[in-house]
Amino acid sequence: MAITFEPSDRLVAAAGEWADQRMMDDEEALEVKLEQALLEIEHLVSGGTEVTFEVEDGGERVRFAPSDDLATFLSRQAEESGLSTERLLRLHVDLFANVFLDEDGQRPDNAPPTE
């Protein structure tokens, strides 16, 4: 079962911050932030340490293949809440959007200017 969702504005902003801090392009940073968030969620639910996902349409859509345990967990939450599994996954990913960002938000001293 694959779940497709749109990245939230919060996730995109966190990816932009990640890109600035790591001097990488925004698309690559979005993939890194998605992988971090999806790994955290997968690990918490199933103990998994790998995720399979694709970023489509220039970052407009994410297609994720959850483990059976995570798929069951999301289905159960969807049934209880009345929300779709897509919406729930997006909400869970959004919770982890700012994980691993530098707390002070400062760029490295040797980083080139962004303006």
Side-chain angles (χ1 to χ4, degrees), residues 6 12 14 16 20-21 27-28 46 55-56 60-61 63 65 67-70 83 86 94 101 105-106 109 111-112:
E6 295 178 25
V12 171
D20 288 346
Q21 291 176 357
E27 286 182 39
E28 183 182 4
S46 72
V55 178
E56 302 173 339
E60 295 294 317
R61 308 230 18 99
R63 181 178 305 277
S67 67
D68 291 343
D69 288 344
L70 181 53
L83 297 173
E86 293 83 4
D94 205 33
L101 289 174
Q106 298 297 314
D109 291 336

Side-chain angles (χ1 to χ4, degrees), residues 20-33:
D20 288 346
Q21 291 176 357
R22 305 298 187 286
M23 296 177 283
M24 59 178 33
D25 69 40
D26 287 345
E27 286 182 39
E28 183 182 4
L30 179 60
E31 286 187 24
V32 169
K33 294 306 293 174

Side-chain angles (χ1 to χ4, degrees), residues 66-112:
S67 67
D68 291 343
D69 288 344
L70 181 53
T72 299
F73 176 80
L74 291 170
S75 293
R76 190 173 46 243
Q77 282 192 323
E79 205 172 283
E80 292 172 2
S81 69
L83 297 173
S84 69
T85 55
E86 293 83 4
R87 178 74 177 138
L88 287 164
L89 181 59
R90 182 178 185 226
L91 289 169
H92 289 305
V93 168
D94 205 33
L95 287 173
F96 288 98
N98 290 319
V99 172
F100 305 116
L101 289 174
D102 293 340
E103 287 186 25
D104 62 6
Q106 298 297 314
R107 291 170 48 83
D109 291 336
N110 62 345

